[in-house]
Amino acid sequence: MCGIVGFVGEDENALPFLLEGLQRLEYRGYDSAGVAVVQENHLTVEKRQGKLQRLVEALTTTSVRGSCGIGHTRWATHGRPTDQNAHPQLDCHGQIAVVHNGIIENYQTLKAELMARGHHFRSETDTEVIPHLLEEYGGLDDLKTAVERAEARLTGAYAFLAISATHPDQIVAVRRSSPLVVGLGERTNYLASDFTAFLRHTRRAVVLDNGDLAVIRPWSVEIHDANGVAVERPVLHIDWTLDQAERGGYPHFMLKEIMEQPEAWADCLLGRIERGRVVEEALGLTAEELKAIRRVVMVAAGTAYHAGLVGRVLVESLAGIPVEVDVASEFRYRRPLLEPGTLVVAISQSGETADTLASVSLAKEMGLKVWAVTNTVGSTLAREADTVGYTYAGPEIAVASTKAYTTQILLLTLFAIALAQAQGRAYPELAEQVLSLPEAGKSVLSAMQGLHGLGQELAQHRDVFFIGRGLDWALAQEGQLKLKEISYLHAEAYAAGELKHGTLALIEEGVPVIAILTQPELADKAISNVLEVKARGARVWAVVSANLSGVPADRLIPIPATAPLLAPVLAAIPLQLLAYWTAVSRGEDVDQPRNLAKSVTVE
Ligand code: F6R
């Protein structure tokens, strides 16, 4: 997820607008930033690795004036955060500039083709193929036609803006899956990843549809749909405050990030499953490397550790390879016995968690290969590991991890299937079902309105128990952490079969128990555990897969039926929302819970 902005007007205010717009979009990415402005028939381009402030400082001594320009704030996906990889990306002669959000799946093929035709590439990004394609297709003469022709060559989910030195009064914009909106001003028009960037200047906006191509001039907005037909899109009046707009209209980043999950899952899966097979290289691993793995050890902290617990069940069930999962702060000090043939999987959203990094150093000292599962390109973990699989969830701002967790599980699911493929066992049906998860996620989100009331109810209690078996137990552990960390209620997760070995003593009249039942094989056993707690007076709320019946709960929270191994990502959503609504009901600071930090870079 990156932020893009564009300005085309009759006065020369492009630069101040671009910097202001980027500042508003910085929450979408902040590892580098850049702008390009058309000035007297040439492009002035400035970009800097690091926070936007570095770019602003670099521009204070220049006198860039222009009435057409584009800008970008980056959350790296392809290529480390460096000045060269920052956007805008340019053609060979620096006369066409492009800013881009999303992923161009087939960039390697296009890059090879363009290089063979003599194009000179300067970055490691997927984006750079676009300005070179525009150059190839005559973008300096007719930018719109060049964009149409280039777009026909691209696969992936993205949005981009293109300008050229020879078109000082137009921006050509394309939206395919990634968001893009147009702001309608007085003899000035704006483009941005979301309304926040231009709300201070105009509240009239047009949301581009998937497949739209738009030519924006100071006095006109021309939109063509995916079939090239000229269309009118409705003009909206946006009455959000700036603060609301930054959170996409949601009251908290956590809720925004929960709601963004289907989109994050689609980004995470993009280009990773083809014809029923996981593309090993798209995980950062080769088929040969996977074939050599005899044992897997996963290390991580907090929520990422809980993703590892899910990953263990997936890898052992699908690939039949033994897995251990360890909390990084324990692993690093317990002198683990690791033999050759072990792959260490380090899972971390930030890629900066001190204990996880120390575990990676230890594994490397022992001569083992480390595969990182992280959301952060250019993080220490991404640099230290031998190889990396990115989760592509986009920046996660709320301290409580939500979309990073479910994308970690998705990537581990793909890893489990890839490992099985290396053993000669393919799972084409399962791989295809993985692709349907983003749609299923949307239906879970739209069915969860009632959880608001359950959160209010839960907020009245002091202790909450989460129970489940197998994958559901792994998920229960994440459910209790989410609730604890933002609502400050005391919560515990138990393997449902363990209750009678002690914890059952704590169950008394009215105690809330959240039971998770998504695994048909274990359903009968889990149902008896529900009966056990109910018999002691517990009030049971059950997150249940729609294909399981007869669960004797006080309240059922159904999720769509899917392959049991894929249920965790769907079942995670009601647990996240339950924690969210409980914390809101208690009036807690949801996005920044007390005593916690987003990234724990100290021991
Ligand atoms: C909980 C949470 C933390 C992190 C943990 C590891 O919601 O976010 O438990 O999961 O601090 O952080 P990363 O994944 O950045 O290594």
Side-chain angles (χ1 to χ4, degrees), residues 322-345:
V323 181
E324 274 175 57
V325 190
D326 221 331
V327 169
S329 56
E330 289 296 317
F331 177 87
R332 63 183 289 194
Y333 293 118
R334 79 172 164 84
R335 300 177 201 280
L337 302 174
L338 302 173
E339 67 269 21
T342 302
L343 177 75
V344 174
V345 178

Side-chain angles (χ1 to χ4, degrees), residues 407-482:
T407 51
Q408 284 160 355
I409 295 178
L410 269 190
L411 201 56
L412 292 172
T413 310
L414 301 188
F415 171 64
I417 299 176
L419 265 178
Q421 283 172 191
Q423 319 286 315
R425 260 176 290 157
Y427 288 96
E429 278 175 24
L430 189 69
E432 289 303 328
Q433 283 194 53
V434 173
L435 292 175
S436 65
L437 286 171
E439 275 311 306
K442 284 183 198 162
S443 70
V444 175
L445 284 167
S446 59
M448 291 297 155
Q449 311 306 335
L451 290 188
H452 188 181
L454 284 188
Q456 278 173 341
E457 221 180 290
L458 213 51
Q460 312 303 319
H461 292 269
R462 200 192 50 185
D463 306 301
V464 183
F465 296 91
F466 288 73
I467 59 170
R469 285 173 175 261
L471 276 174
D472 294 335
W473 178 37
L475 201 55
Q477 295 179 66
E478 175 59 7
Q480 59 89 28
L481 176 62
K482 276 302 80 99

Side-chain angles (χ1 to χ4, degrees), residues 97 291 532:
K291 209 168 176 178
E532 246 165 40

Side-chain angles (χ1 to χ4, degrees), residues 314 430 433 471-472 518-521 545 547 561-568:
L314 297 171
L430 189 69
Q433 283 194 53
L471 276 174
D472 294 335
T518 66
Q519 304 297 308
E521 262 186 20
S545 276
N547 54 345
T562 180
L565 290 178
L566 306 184

Side-chain angles (χ1 to χ4, degrees), residues 36-258:
V37 175
V38 190
Q39 199 177 12
E40 287 157 13
N41 290 334
H42 83 274
L43 290 184
T44 303
V45 180
E46 203 65 59
K47 22 192 219 172
R48 285 289 182 284
Q49 187 248 318
K51 293 262 189 187
L52 179 65
Q53 191 51 31
R54 293 198 62 217
L55 177 72
V56 174
E57 280 159 18
L59 284 162
T60 45
T61 52
T62 62
S63 55
V64 182
R65 300 189 66 76
S67 53
C68 176
I70 54 178
H72 189 269
T73 177
R74 182 166 187 247
W75 177 258
T77 55
H78 293 72
R80 290 156 299 142
T82 60
D83 286 355
Q84 282 295 15
N85 289 337
H87 299 204
Q89 289 293 324
L90 307 175
D91 67 328
C92 293
H93 305 289
Q95 293 203 292
I96 299 176
V98 169
V99 290
H100 157 232
N101 169 28
I103 296 170
I104 309 295
E105 258 179 76
N106 59 337
Y107 80 101
Q108 275 164 326
T109 321
L110 293 171
K111 187 168 178 175
E113 178 191 314
L114 288 158
M115 285 174 78
R117 292 184 58 79
H119 286 262
H120 173 57
F121 280 73
R122 303 179 190 88
S123 79
E124 304 158 328
T125 63
D126 51 346
T127 310
E128 198 181 351
V129 297
I130 308 175
H132 288 284
L133 278 175
L134 297 179
E135 179 182 11
E136 190 71 17
Y137 295 143
L140 288 177
D141 297 327
D142 180 349
L143 188 58
K144 175 183 169 247
T145 308
V147 169
E148 277 167 351
R149 291 183 63 193
E151 222 252 311
R153 303 287 316 280
L154 305 175
T155 56
Y158 53 80
F160 70 82
L161 310 182
I163 57 171
S164 86
T166 48
H167 296 83
D169 60 358
Q170 66 172 271
I171 302 176
V172 183
V174 167
R175 177 192 177 166
R176 202 192 275 181
S177 293
S178 300
L180 195 56
V181 290
V182 184
L184 308 172
E186 288 300 318
R187 294 173 184 274
T188 303
N189 287 313
Y190 311 89
L191 279 149
S193 302
D194 72 46
F195 308 119
T196 336
F198 52 68
L199 270 194
R200 214 171 62 80
H201 302 269
T202 180
R203 292 188 169 267
R204 292 172 65 234
V206 169
V207 179
L208 295 182
D209 254 20
N210 262 336
D212 280 356
L213 181 152
V215 181
I216 317 290
R217 295 189 173 86
W219 53 86
S220 68
V221 174
E222 210 183 287
I223 305 175
H224 301 266
D225 69 10
N227 302 314
V229 178
V231 285
E232 298 264 326
R233 301 279 178 224
V235 176
L236 312 176
H237 181 85
I238 311 300
D239 48 18
W240 293 342
T241 63
L242 273 174
D243 198 35
Q244 277 173 325
E246 192 175 65
R247 288 180 253 102
Y250 293 104
H252 299 101
F253 277 110
M254 183 180 176
L255 186 57
K256 173 174 179 280
E257 287 159 8
I258 291 172

Side-chain angles (χ1 to χ4, degrees), residues 301-304 347-351 353 356 399-401 408 478 481-482 485 598 600:
T303 288
I347 311 166
S348 170
Q349 188 285 129
S350 61
T353 299
T356 307
V399 164
S401 185
Q408 284 160 355
E478 175 59 7
L481 176 62
K482 276 302 80 99
E485 68 176 325
K598 183 67 187 158
V600 185

